[in-house]
Amino acid sequence: MARSFTEREKENIKRSLQEACKQSWTQYGYKKTSVDAICKQVGISKGAFYLFYESKEALFCDVLCSVQEQIRNAVLEVINKHKNKHGVAEALKLLYQEYDKNNFLYGSDSTDFTILLHKLSEEQAQKIQESNDRNRQLFLSQPYLKLKVDEGLAMSVIYSCIMNIKNKDLLPYSHRETFDFMVCHLINSLYE
């Protein structure tokens, strides 16, 4: 007979599953992360896993959207604290640091991430797309910010700067200091 969990246990197990998934995804990637290993780390059976998630992909979708939401909230807090273009610069620096800690956030063009995307249900893919769309709006939708350039160009510049993280090991200088320098100089070209 299957063991039932209290609500508190369910919350703790779900949080532990997400954390174990995030750690394994960061270290090994999607394909090499197994439900068995995650369950072993959390201390539950594989059967119990399916009480929380219908599939490995559902867990990965939940983790990705959860991490994006946490980052979005932290970035928004910085932007709202400094309600000007300098707040945007600080928020971008924070965003870059989070991408540095969570490499699965910028591996969307990797084979590993493509495999995950192809295994997602339509609903899961839509959930990720909506989360991505909310993130893009962070630097555009603040009433006290006015762009000097087209929105598409601004987002392309911001995205290009952040995606330079893929080259961090090739840079002859600290990648974080390099990013900070770029942001400090670009912010005046993007915002009034």
Side-chain angles (χ1 to χ4, degrees), residues 24-176:
S24 186
W25 194 359
T26 299
Q27 189 171 2
Y28 304 114
Y30 161 75
K31 194 172 178 184
K32 291 182 181 176
T33 296
S34 73
V35 171
D36 288 330
I38 290 172
C39 289
K40 185 176 181 179
Q41 185 176 343
V42 172
I44 63 169
S45 69
K46 191 171 181 178
F49 171 85
Y50 292 103
L51 296 173
F52 298 93
Y53 291 100
E54 65 189 39
S55 65
K56 174 180 168 180
E57 293 73 31
L59 171 60
F60 275 72
C61 178
D62 201 21
V63 167
L64 179 58
C65 291
S66 176
V67 168
Q68 286 181 325
E69 182 180 3
Q70 290 168 9
I71 293 170
R72 187 171 44 253
N73 290 339
V75 164
L76 193 54
E77 187 176 312
V78 171
I79 290 173
N80 286 329
K81 182 178 178 183
H82 301 288
K83 299 187 181 195
N84 58 38
K85 63 185 174 185
H86 303 292
V88 171
E90 291 306 309
L92 285 169
K93 291 174 189 178
L94 172 66
L95 180 63
Y96 187 84
Q97 290 170 14
E98 291 300 320
Y99 268 60
D100 192 27
K101 286 190 271 184
N102 300 289
N103 65 358
F104 59 86
L105 291 171
Y106 61 85
S108 60
D109 61 348
S110 71
T111 303
D112 193 64
F113 198 82
T114 302
I115 291 169
L116 168 62
L117 290 179
H118 287 299
K119 290 189 173 195
L120 294 175
S121 69
E122 269 187 52
E123 183 181 307
Q124 292 162 342
Q126 181 67 30
K127 184 177 175 184
I128 289 172
Q129 184 60 49
E130 288 169 2
S131 182
N132 289 340
D133 292 344
R134 283 190 299 276
N135 287 348
R136 283 187 200 97
Q137 290 304 310
L138 280 173
F139 301 103
L140 301 176
S141 63
Q142 307 309 319
Y144 44 83
L145 294 174
K146 185 165 176 139
L147 287 169
K148 289 183 178 180
V149 299
D150 177 79
E151 279 188 7
L153 176 59
M155 287 314 304
S156 293
V157 168
I158 290 169
Y159 181 78
S160 295
C161 286
I162 292 170
M163 285 302 111
N164 266 328
I165 198 164
K166 293 179 181 184
N167 299 316
K168 70 181 184 179
D169 296 329
L170 302 174
L171 299 176
Y173 198 77
S174 161
H175 70 99
R176 284 194 179 179

Side-chain angles (χ1 to χ4, degrees), residues 93 96-97 175-185:
K93 291 174 189 178
Y96 187 84
Q97 290 170 14
H175 70 99
R176 284 194 179 179
E177 288 182 49
T178 301
F179 180 82
D180 291 356
F181 180 86
M182 290 189 318
V183 166
C184 287
H185 286 79

